[in-house]
Amino acid sequence: MILEKEKNWWKDAAVYQIYPKSFYDSNNDGFGDIEGIRQKLPYIKSLGVDVVWVCPFFKSPQADNGYDVADYFEIDPIFGGNMEDLRNLIDDTHKLGMKFVLDLVANHTSDEHEWFQKALAGDEKYMNYYYFRDPVNGKAPSNWASVFGGGAWEYVPHLDKYYLHIFHKKQPDLNWENKEVVDEVINIMKHWAEYGVDGFRLDAINYLYKEPDFPSVEPMPGSEFGFGTEHYANKPKVNEHFNRLNREVFGPYNMMTVAEVAYINGDQARRYCGLEKPEVDMLYLFELLNFDQDGYDKFAPLPFDVKAFKEAVFGWQEEMKYFGHLALFFSNHDQARSVSRFGNDSDEYRDLSAKMHGNAMYMLKGTPYIYQGEELGMTSLDYTDVNDFHDVEVPFMWQEKVVEGGESPEKWIHLFNTRSRDGGRSPMQWDSSENGGFSKVTPWQKTNGNYTKINVELQEKDEKSPLNFYRQLLKVRKTLKSVIYGTVTPFDNDSDATFCYSRDFEDEQVISINNFKDYDVQVKLPQGRFNVVLSNYGDVTEIEDTVTLRPYEGITAVKI
Ligand code: TEU
């Protein structure tokens, strides 16, 4: 039985994530823009998604590609700078029957935001919007590290004070202990809710509360700094804030809310999903993809281990079995491309592994978040020059490891190509024309050289393409209640090659079987005969008993 409260509008939805800077450049200035997204709405609709999430496009100095907001009510000139474009985009999204989710960055602002500028001018009211603190023994108040390298405190000589920035120094953290700050954020949210947005993706939102004495922590090896996350991630106060936001905005406006969270355990996750009081609808967990690196250090890659993947993914499915809801994703704007990272991006296997990834991830319990280009099997980068990279973390690492540390430039270019956040940010590949049809001028970030092989135009013509597979996948997903509401039971779980599970709801049973390796493997199925509803090789119709999965084969089948 489906409980009434489970039938939210977003429950069986699929989301498409857009990184606006790299999606489509309608005015040929080298940057993707709001009008470009609008022009591509028919394409987005054709995928079968229900919700469009657009990464930040507000006025911003772009120190962190828009995650440094200077004005929450204005659109940045590089995205068109024009409120009418946004009106049209949201209206047209609605006309096509899709919803629009705004990326709201409320843990921090840009240092160029008016509030911070007033704070820098010594206005006490606004200094209290942020965390300004006196030096301690002539040094920063604590040794917390910034996510992007270096320390998390920046000294302001004319004030003789430090301010806190968990992210870049151009992203000062807002002080949520100040009620006025919370009121400001609520105003911003209400403004956009009334404007017509249908939901919020809440950026880095689990960091809202910092322990007031900012305790120093054990430094990382070879550094004076350490991640102080135990003192600022997922503190109970965050739940109180969520509850208030829910009461005042999310609930009354019937919004879909997805909180980006990291450094989290099952209890905290369930609490965010409203175990005690209404908070947010679903969680976008970093933990889902961190299994192929040493801790939180993405530049310390571990070989892709299918068992570690299963532990992470099935582990979280188990945690959220009875309560809460997960975002399902395989890539995003902070990650290298999944087909290169967890699959095989050779010409022989790229399409198969891209399709299999969709089959493996998006039949799980949760809401699929497909990131632009994932539906094409876009790959990680092929750059050769460090100057081709743009992300804030690259110059830090280059300086520390190559310039000062003497490590090999080739090693780090390779790491940036395969692991850095830029990996997911090269322009969308629309066709075989110059710059992949993204723009008529040189794009802000270089197009991947393989755009003549991997692009929308080519895949539209090929019924077996990843693009058409994703369309079919999303269609099939909608017809199967068990995929939305059913239990998740892994099988063949000892295998270090396959990722297999069964979804069960009332009298429906659906299985998703996937081979992550480039060789054949055998899988023993649950009892019964199964009708294949999705197959990336496209030549299987019925399966039972023991199946031999070919390299990167993925199948979804329904019990007859
Ligand atoms: O990400 C939060 C976050 O923790 C990441 O920056 C993460 O640490 C990083 O990807 C690891 O390399 C969100 C946004 O998704 C990201 O793009 C922003 O840079 C960040 O918040 C700050 O707003």
Coordinates of all heavy atoms in Angstrom, one line a residue, residues 3 32 87-88 215 226 272 318 343-344 387 399 403 535:
L3 N 1.3 4.9 1.2 CA 0.7 5.8 2.2 C 0.5 7.1 1.5 O 1.2 7.6 0.6 CB 1.7 6.0 3.3 CG 2.1 4.8 4.2 CD1 3.1 5.2 5.2 CD2 0.8 4.3 4.9
G32 N 27.5 29.8 -21.6 CA 26.1 29.4 -21.7 C 25.2 30.4 -20.9 O 25.7 31.1 -20.1
R87 N 12.1 34.9 -16.5 CA 10.6 34.7 -16.6 C 10.2 33.7 -17.7 O 9.5 32.8 -17.5 CB 10.0 36.1 -16.8 CG 8.6 36.3 -16.8 CD 7.9 36.2 -15.4 NE 7.7 34.8 -15.0 CZ 7.5 34.4 -13.8 NH1 7.6 35.2 -12.8 NH2 7.3 33.2 -13.5
N88 N 10.8 34.0 -18.9 CA 10.5 33.1 -20.0 C 10.9 31.7 -19.8 O 10.2 30.7 -20.1 CB 11.1 33.7 -21.3 CG 10.5 35.0 -21.7 OD1 9.4 35.3 -21.3 ND2 11.3 35.8 -22.4
P215 N 36.9 25.1 17.6 CA 38.1 24.4 18.1 C 39.1 24.0 17.0 O 38.6 23.4 16.0 CB 37.5 23.2 18.8 CG 36.0 23.4 18.8 CD 35.7 24.4 17.8
G226 N 43.5 21.5 9.3 CA 42.8 20.2 9.3 C 41.3 20.6 9.1 O 40.8 21.7 9.4
Y272 N 17.2 14.8 9.0 CA 17.0 15.9 8.0 C 15.7 15.6 7.2 O 15.1 16.6 6.7 CB 18.2 15.9 7.0 CG 19.4 16.6 7.5 CD1 20.7 16.1 7.1 CD2 19.3 17.7 8.3 CE1 21.8 16.8 7.6 CE2 20.5 18.4 8.8 CZ 21.7 17.9 8.4 OH 22.9 18.5 8.8
E318 N 19.9 1.0 2.4 CA 19.4 0.3 3.7 C 19.2 1.4 4.8 O 18.1 1.3 5.4 CB 20.6 -0.6 4.1 CG 20.3 -1.5 5.3 CD 19.2 -2.5 5.1 OE1 18.9 -2.9 4.0 OE2 18.5 -2.8 6.2
G343 N 33.4 3.5 -15.4 CA 33.1 2.7 -16.6 C 34.3 2.5 -17.5 O 35.4 2.4 -17.0
N344 N 34.0 2.6 -18.8 CA 35.1 2.4 -19.8 C 34.8 3.4 -20.9 O 33.8 3.3 -21.6 CB 35.0 0.9 -20.2 CG 36.2 0.6 -21.1 OD1 36.6 1.4 -21.9 ND2 36.6 -0.7 -21.0
N387 N 46.6 25.7 -17.7 CA 45.8 26.9 -17.9 C 44.4 26.6 -18.5 O 43.5 27.5 -18.6 CB 46.5 27.9 -18.7 CG 47.8 28.4 -18.0 OD1 47.7 28.7 -16.8 ND2 48.9 28.4 -18.7
Q399 N 50.1 24.8 -7.3 CA 51.1 25.5 -6.5 C 51.7 24.6 -5.4 O 53.0 24.4 -5.3 CB 50.4 26.7 -5.8 CG 51.4 27.6 -5.0 CD 52.4 28.3 -5.9 OE1 52.2 28.5 -7.1 NE2 53.5 28.7 -5.2
V403 N 54.5 23.2 -8.2 CA 55.5 24.4 -8.1 C 56.3 24.2 -6.8 O 57.5 24.3 -6.8 CB 54.7 25.7 -8.1 CG1 55.7 26.9 -7.9 CG2 53.9 25.8 -9.3
S535 N 17.4 -3.1 -22.0 CA 18.7 -3.8 -22.2 C 19.6 -3.0 -23.0 O 19.3 -2.5 -24.0 CB 18.3 -5.2 -22.9 OG 19.4 -5.5 -23.8

